[in-house]
Amino acid sequence: MRPNDLLPAWLWARSFGKIRIGAKCRIELGAILDISEGGRIVAGTKCRIRRGAMLIPFGGFIKIGDDFSLNPYSVLYGQGGLTIGNDVRIAAGCVIIPSNHIFDDVNKPIRMQKISKLGVTIEDDVWIGANVTVLDGAHIAKGCVIAAGAVVRGRTEPYGVYGGVPAKLIKMRGQ
């Protein structure tokens, strides 16, 4: 018996144990979990990853809690580390990037300069609307709602509703 019977045998064999998926998870045909450049992906129980979604750790990690959903054509990178809590919903077309290019030296091509890897944290009970971009160093607090099309950087307040570019507090949930 394989250590993780929820993965197809070929995927488990190719992942060398670097992809771990919890019970009652559903990964639709056409979703991509790519560890070809190293790293690991861990998902809790009752997760749903829709077709066209991509999880690519790029040598880092993507750690997902329980009762998570990732909708089509969203991309989660893990180079600087991506931690997602429980009961998180991510709509279609979102991009979460826990790293960033440094480009201060004009005498060097950007591709040859360093990369920041601050990571991204998304706490429990968060809803991220369609086409949101979450940048390196972002920390989305418990209970937040991020409006469609927003760009998140920095920290949010618990139970805040954020929107815009860059995302700003619009109101607090429950008010």
Side-chain angles (χ1 to χ4, degrees):
M1 178 152 82
R2 299 184 319 271
N4 192 339
D5 281 330
L6 298 170
L7 290 176
W10 65 269
L11 179 58
W12 182 82
R14 290 188 63 202
S15 77
F16 303 102
K18 293 184 180 185
I19 298 175
R20 298 199 182 276
I21 306 297
K24 298 182 182 177
C25 285
R26 183 171 171 191
I27 301 172
E28 293 183 2
L29 188 63
I32 296 170
L33 284 69
D34 181 357
I35 58 159
S36 64
E37 295 188 42
R40 67 187 190 283
I41 299 168
V42 177
T45 62
K46 295 189 257 180
C47 295
R48 184 163 189 186
I49 299 171
R50 300 284 203 148
R51 82 185 82 222
M54 300 172 67
L55 287 80
I56 309 170
F58 285 118
F61 67 87
I62 299 171
K63 183 176 185 276
I64 299 167
D66 299 330
D67 296 301
F68 167 80
S69 68
L70 181 65
N71 282 289
Y73 310 109
S74 287
V75 180
L76 308 183
Y77 292 136
Q79 192 168 23
L82 171 58
T83 302
I84 299 172
N86 300 319
D87 300 303
V88 172
R89 301 288 174 261
I90 299 177
C94 294
V95 180
I96 301 176
I97 311 167
S99 63
N100 196 8
H101 292 278
I102 295 172
F103 49 86
D104 294 334
D105 188 346
V106 296
N107 296 311
K108 254 190 209 179
I110 294 169
R111 69 177 177 81
M112 296 179 72
Q113 296 185 47
K114 294 181 180 183
I115 295 175
S116 70
K117 298 179 186 179
L118 302 173
V120 169
T121 299
I122 300 169
E123 294 184 10
D124 298 341
D125 188 29
V126 169
W127 175 27
I128 298 176
N131 298 309
V132 167
T133 300
V134 180
L135 300 175
D136 191 30
H139 185 120
I140 300 175
K142 182 177 182 171
C144 280
V145 173
I146 310 298
V151 175
V152 181
R153 56 184 197 169
R155 295 183 75 88
T156 64
E157 296 294 320
Y159 301 101
V161 177
Y162 287 80
V165 178
K168 293 189 183 342
L169 181 64
I170 298 170
K171 67 178 194 171
M172 299 301 288
R173 282 179 59 195
Q175 291 182 348

